[in-house]
Amino acid sequence: MSTPTTTAPAPALSIGRFDLDSPVVLAPMAGVTNVAFRTLCREQERERMGSVAGLYVCEMVTARALVERNPKTMHMTTFAADEDPRSLQLYTTDPEYTYRAARMIAEEDLADHIDMNFGCPVPKVTRRGGGSALPFKRRLYASIVRAAVRAVSDAGHPEIPVTVKFRVGIDDDHHTHLDAGRIAADEGAAAVACHGRTAAQRYSGTADWEQIARLVDHM
């Protein structure tokens, strides 16, 4: 008589070593997704679903300010006791500060997951070559992703996944998402996320899901 075997359901979303039961990710937004807001969202999910299964990403933290231990920035890295995994989004335009910040996060156990911000469309950010403008500079973009992946490994914590968020491109004439996805994977990123708008669109109009599908096929 054979004993029936049961197969555990596949996780809805896997990022590095983390298997999540929900594919829903709370998108990071500066000035919004702080520890209080994330706590409220988690309470809502627990109340409605009975558990917390998604990924909750903290608001954007600037790499240089983190390395220099700016008090406001350090406060932004606060996580609630029950947040697991602790997901921190890092904004950066410089490979050196990227490396130092990512290594600091790993060595000081500040987070379990690092998400790189290449999606911010705010003009004061993109005018400086950061956010959604940065993937257009492919070599710089590659070196920044590489620096973050190398930093967590050098810190003795290669299990900390580094992920990358970007947009379709700068505008309709300058799409960068296919190159951005390929480069991130080549440099060791555990996953990528694409906002289906260009930087020029900011948050207007509708997301271009066809471009996201193209990225999935390309990856």
Side-chain angles (χ1 to χ4, degrees), residues 55-143:
L55 184 66
Y56 291 76
V57 187
C58 82
E59 57 183 322
M60 183 176 73
V61 172
T62 301
R64 181 166 184 169
L66 182 65
V67 170
E68 294 176 350
R69 297 185 181 275
N70 176 278
K72 182 179 178 180
T73 299
M74 295 304 294
H75 179 71
M76 290 165 63
T77 66
T78 302
F79 289 93
D82 65 342
E83 287 193 73
D84 181 32
R86 298 165 301 161
S87 181
L88 186 150
Q89 190 182 67
L90 198 62
Y91 166 79
T92 178
T93 59
D94 177 81
E96 180 184 350
Y97 276 105
T98 301
Y99 179 88
R100 293 171 64 183
R103 183 155 186 164
M104 176 181 169
I105 291 166
E107 290 181 339
E108 300 185 18
D109 191 29
L110 298 181
D112 306 306
H113 160 231
I114 298 173
D115 183 53
M116 309 290 291
N117 182 312
F118 299 108
C120 181
V122 177
K124 71 176 182 180
V125 171
T126 57
R127 278 197 297 265
R128 299 174 182 173
S132 52
L134 205 149
F136 187 74
K137 302 174 182 177
R138 278 121 170 120
R139 290 184 180 178
L140 176 60
Y141 168 77
S143 66

Side-chain angles (χ1 to χ4, degrees), residues 141-200:
Y141 168 77
S143 66
I144 288 174
V145 178
R146 184 187 317 129
V149 173
R150 182 167 59 89
V152 296
S153 181
D154 288 352
H157 292 281
E159 75 280 1
I160 296 178
V162 174
T163 59
V164 173
K165 179 184 178 182
F166 47 77
R167 285 182 173 243
V168 172
I170 295 176
D171 53 37
D172 286 336
D173 295 323
H174 300 87
H175 285 187
T176 56
H177 61 312
L178 300 184
D179 284 348
R182 176 185 54 78
I183 291 169
D186 289 346
E187 297 299 344
V192 301
C194 181
H195 184 145
R197 291 179 175 82
T198 63

